[in-house]
């Protein structure tokens, strides 16, 4: 879907550059064990958790958040990290990286720090669901360039 706010050359250029990246990189599925899948779409107050299901979804996250979460795609596909999109009122608000059974990044747009109360609510939920202790580690996967 093309954004409706491409009203400057700069915005249009940035959008096209990011979409071009999707064409260059193969879209790989991110799979999760059942015990992690149970948190997808979970609501914690006014926050909703999304488990990205593909490497292209991570590119969309990067585009919306102006950060480098998509560079972790091979680790997510390989099961070395769990990446989350956290939404507030249907708007992507935070990205979370879980590695080695702990939250190592919890950031907003431009990697800005998230408020402590939001971080605490999500962390408590993940601990309650035992998500931080159920990661399986495998070798990273190299994301292939898309074939033409």
């Amino acid at each position: 879907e093309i954004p409706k706010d491409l009203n400057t050359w700069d915005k249009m250029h940035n959008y096209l550059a990011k979409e071009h990246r999707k064409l260059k990189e193969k879209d790989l599925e991110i799979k999760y064990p059942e015990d992690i899948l149970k948190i997808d779409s979970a609501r914690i107050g006014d926050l909703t958790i999304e488990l990205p299901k593909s490497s292209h979804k991570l590119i969309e996250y990067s585009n919306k958040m102006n950060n480098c979460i998509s560079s972790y795609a091979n680790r997510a596909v390989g099961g070395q990290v769990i990446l989350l999109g956290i939404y507030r009122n249907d708007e992507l608000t935070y990205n979370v990286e879980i590695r080695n059974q702990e939250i190592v990044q919890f950031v907003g747009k431009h990697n800005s720090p998230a408020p402590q109360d939001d971080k605490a609510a999500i962390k408590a939920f993940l601990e309650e669901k035992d998500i931080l202790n159920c990661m399986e580690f495998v070798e990273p996967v190299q994301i292939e360039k898309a074939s033409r």
Side-chain angles (χ1 to χ4, degrees), residues 51-118:
L51 290 168
K53 307 296 190 305
S54 72
S55 56
H56 279 192
K57 184 67 170 180
L58 293 175
I59 292 172
E60 290 175 23
Y61 282 5
S62 284
N63 293 347
K64 290 178 183 174
M65 301 296 283
N66 293 309
N67 65 23
C68 65
I69 192 170
S70 62
S71 69
Y72 295 93
N74 63 337
R75 294 180 203 144
V77 169
Q80 294 180 307
V81 298
I82 299 170
L83 302 173
L84 306 176
I86 308 292
Y87 289 77
R88 175 174 276 128
N89 302 322
D90 297 323
E91 177 85 23
L92 183 61
T93 307
Y94 307 116
N95 291 137
V96 176
E97 176 194 1
I98 301 169
R99 180 173 16 104
N100 298 330
Q101 285 85 31
E102 63 182 85
I103 297 171
V104 294
Q105 290 192 73
F106 194 124
V107 295
K109 287 190 177 195
H110 306 283
N111 289 327
S112 62
Q116 196 58 40
D117 56 336
D118 287 346

